[in-house]
Amino acid sequence: HKHILGTEQLSREDIELILDTADSLKEINSREIKKVPTLRGKTIVNLFYEASTRTRTSFEIAGKRLSADTINMTASTSSVTKGETLEDTAKNIQAMKPDIIVMRHSASGAPHYLAERIDCSVINAGDGAHEHPSQALLDLLTIRQHKGKLEGLTVAIVGDITHSRVARSDLYAMTKMGMKVRLCGPGTMMPPGIERLGAEVFTDMDDAVRDADVVMMLRIQLERQGKTLLPTLREYARLYGLNPARLALAKPDAIVMHPGPLNRGVEISSYVADGKQSVILDQVENGVAVRMALLYLVAGGEASES
Ligand code: CP
């Protein structure tokens, strides 16, 4: 079976194929009759052990647009709350013969564990602080849509890099596409040695944002911090919040991105989040197209094994 476990395993050609497929499927989401029979008869289980608004909904919509049967399973309303293990849950879902499982889990590597034990395709919808490949792909699609290219662009990714699966997936994918990636955040939120993956590391946000084509803000993951938050939220907003003055340091036509959910007034001011350089809702719209492409390709298209 084909799996999408991370952008680390995808080649530049795989990424181009996924983005081109997403572009060609995008039209379906804007039609009056939003359905094609491509995945009729396929069953997709969305297995979410962590909260989600955008990813779960857009995978469900993507599956429905392609006529697949989509089923949502949320850990908090499943027998996981009675102590059922991931392996037992997987075996029981397997017995119902799904074709694709889309999985989000708080443990890094959980989708890989599942992929080794189950006889269907697995798509990682976010595993701990490890990877969130469909997010990185929709980010690339959004950048390509607005800039007409990826190669040579400079992106500043600012925030809690240590806990960000989005930053990791973006870093792998963007460097493969020839983009220059700047990672910025307080030292307490920057994983040591991350520059070995091809990023330039900044602790000063003004330096990171200066002349960037893309400014991507990340949420502080309060649910993944230890007991003390360093810096405090107030200091963080002052040092690493994107406001109009900071954005003015980037290129005049720079776009502002955020994977969501937003902490308004912490990492991004409402003025910027809702401003004319913001493409945050384009990211969400592109999420449906990218997830249609991933479902189509793992169900029989031509993406290489990952
Ligand atoms: N960007 C993202 O993954 O959002 P959700 O957590 O709401 O799915």
Side-chain angles (χ1 to χ4, degrees):
H1 295 283
K2 289 175 181 168
H3 306 296
I4 302 286
L5 299 176
T7 54
E8 186 179 8
Q9 297 92 344
L10 295 177
S11 66
R12 183 178 175 128
E13 292 69 34
D14 291 330
I15 293 171
E16 276 166 359
L17 174 67
I18 294 164
L19 299 186
D20 292 345
T21 305
D23 264 337
S24 67
L25 292 169
K26 214 168 170 175
E27 191 234 332
I28 297 168
N29 204 34
S30 55
R31 273 194 215 161
E32 214 160 284
I33 300 167
K34 298 178 171 173
K35 226 171 172 67
V36 292
T38 317
L39 295 187
R40 191 152 57 203
K42 301 279 184 195
T43 302
I44 301 166
V45 176
N46 288 322
L47 179 58
F48 277 62
Y49 283 78
E50 276 193 332
S52 169
T53 295
R54 284 144 287 266
T55 311
R56 199 198 56 70
T57 313
S58 58
F59 265 114
E60 183 179 358
I61 291 174
K64 284 180 157 57
R65 298 270 185 271
L66 299 175
S67 300
D69 297 311
T70 55
I71 286 99
N72 296 315
M73 235 195 86
T74 309
S76 58
T77 55
S78 74
S79 287
V80 169
T81 57
K82 302 171 194 164
E84 191 164 32
T85 64
L86 176 56
E87 180 149 22
D88 281 337
T89 304
K91 279 184 189 155
N92 281 270
I93 292 176
Q94 170 73 61
M96 298 182 236
K97 310 276 186 273
D99 298 286
I100 302 171
I101 294 182
V102 177
M103 186 200 211
R104 171 170 288 189
H105 201 284
S106 58
S108 298
H112 310 67
Y113 176 91
L114 188 72
E116 283 165 13
R117 286 164 178 79
I118 201 159
D119 186 27
C120 73
S121 294
V122 176
I123 299 179
N124 180 3
D127 64 324
H130 181 220
E131 280 233 37
H132 190 354
S134 62
Q135 178 70 43
L137 292 161
L138 74 85
D139 290 341
L140 289 183
L141 189 68
T142 306
I143 296 167
R144 200 171 77 165
Q145 175 193 328
H146 283 275
K147 297 286 167 199
K149 62 171 186 178
L150 296 171
E151 180 91 46
L153 295 178
T154 298
V155 56
I157 303 179
V158 184
D160 179 3
I161 307 295
T162 298
H163 294 102
S164 179
R165 52 198 179 201
V166 175
R168 218 155 268 103
S169 286
D170 269 326
L171 176 59
Y172 289 129
M174 288 170 172
T175 50
K176 279 175 195 167
M177 303 314 286
M179 295 176 70
K180 296 185 196 95
V181 181
R182 298 174 178 172
L183 297 178
C184 176
T188 49
M189 297 181 187
M190 189 63 70
I194 190 89
E195 61 278 0
R196 285 198 292 272
L197 297 179
E200 208 181 336
V201 172
F202 293 77
T203 48
D204 184 303
M205 185 170 170
D206 291 356
D207 291 342
V209 167
R210 196 165 285 116
D211 296 322
D213 298 285
V214 179
V215 181
M216 182 182 293
M217 301 308 298
L218 302 172
R219 180 176 68 90
I220 296 192
Q221 309 220 355
L222 292 172
E223 73 277 25
R224 297 191 213 278
Q225 305 289 336
K227 280 200 189 72
T228 28
L229 182 63
L230 261 180
T232 63
L233 275 191
R234 189 192 294 239
E235 286 170 325
Y236 185 87
R238 186 171 57 80
L239 294 170
Y240 297 102
L242 186 62
N243 52 36
R246 282 228 164 89
L247 180 56
L249 298 171
K251 291 221 178 109
D253 62 349
I255 55 172
V256 174
M257 304 177 76
H258 193 305
L262 305 177
N263 282 324
R264 288 176 181 263
V266 180
E267 74 271 5
I268 192 164
S269 74
S270 281
Y271 195 82
V272 173
D274 305 325
K276 62 180 190 324
Q277 285 169 268
S278 169
V279 299
I280 293 171
L281 293 177
D282 293 346
Q283 291 175 266
V284 180
E285 183 176 342
N286 284 327
V288 177
V290 156
R291 287 162 180 138
M292 280 196 280
L294 293 176
L295 295 172
Y296 167 73
L297 292 167
V298 299
E302 312 152 30
S304 70
E305 198 91 8
S306 68

